[in-house]
Amino acid sequence: MKRIGFIGLGIMGAPMARNLLKAGYALAVHDIVSEKVRALADAGAQAAGSAREAAARSDVVITMLPNSPEVRQAVLGPDGVLEGARPGTILVDMSSIAPLASRRIAEEVSRKGVVMLDAPVSGGEPKAIEGKLAIMVGGPTEAFEQVRPILAVMGSAVTHVGGIGSGNVAKLANQIIVALNIAAMSEAMVLATKAGVSAEKVYQAIRGGLAASAVLEAKMPLVLKGNFRPGFRIELHIKDLLNALDTAHAVGVPLPLSSAVTEILQALKIDGKGADDHGGIIQFYERLARTEVRHAGP
Ligand code: NAD
């Protein structure tokens, strides 16, 4: 069984690492926040003082970090993965980062014989806990086949999309669809409420029709409770949409709706809501319309 190094034990990384432990893998874990390392060590992982140390004890290294700069730092920086890795080590970056950054990092680690896959995920904290993430993978087929059983512990849908960076292109597509869906749901539910109709009833009425969506099912119950605890933070979704806009500009694709929703998210961040769940997009519309969409009952 392959030994795994796991770096980045946040909202997503911690439950993903726990599932690998439960499946019987030996895990060396690292995060810049030492309490997060201790919590995983209490569950049976080996604590590693650096990414280098985690990589030195592993055949496969998984990173689950916020964005491209953190992945570069943890992989290529001092005491990083590359210092501890050996030729043949497989690096699986499961963070959502810019596709171009994935390609550049892959190129740099390849000089030491390290093979990289980009393997971002969708499904959020609940699916990370259940081990039922959707995982979209880019990189060489042979490396993908080697780590497929490991990915299958964390996800129920594991898809090899293409070459390095294509996992993150798929993830950008995913993030555009999710952000625009939440905005559409928010716009519609604020309208319903201010027009004097219960948003909860509208939700019940439409969830079996063409407007049904995974977003509606995941976010509407939380919106009705006014629960915007993350989940997926608004500031991380800004990061993804900015990566989508950069990528789109580089290849020559206009993204009119994504840029509008990016500005909505920016407005919420400026209003102090950057750490709210992205379901909190509805607060932008509520403020514009001076209306609150909440559960009407007891
Ligand atoms: P998070 O902020 O909760 O976790 C990131 C972790 O990385 C933190 O524990 C932080 O201390 C650690 N870290 C930062 N820099 C580091 C470094 N240089 N070395 C070691 N550790 C470092 O974020 P998250 O919600 O777990 O998201 C992680 C990634 O997954 C992001 O790219 C995000 O976009 C993506 N993602 C998140 C969700 C979600 O619902 N939260 C869903 C799908 C994908």
Side-chain angles (χ1 to χ4, degrees), residues 197-242:
V197 179
S198 151
E200 196 167 7
K201 292 275 189 233
V202 173
Y203 166 51
Q204 293 304 336
I206 69 174
R207 61 195 288 227
L210 193 54
S213 70
V215 159
L216 197 68
E217 291 307 317
K219 299 302 174 189
M220 211 39 216
L222 298 175
V223 163
L224 290 168
K225 289 188 196 127
N227 177 358
F228 302 121
R229 186 188 70 79
F232 189 67
R233 296 195 301 279
I234 281 173
E235 60 201 9
L236 283 178
H237 217 138
I238 292 175
K239 175 262 302 182
D240 288 335
L241 291 180
L242 291 176

Side-chain angles (χ1 to χ4, degrees), residues 10-12 31-32 36 64-66 96 121 124 231-233 239:
I11 290 177
M12 298 295 284
D31 193 289
I32 44 174
K36 297 188 182 184
M64 193 52 170
L65 301 163
S96 308
V121 309
F232 189 67
R233 296 195 301 279
K239 175 262 302 182

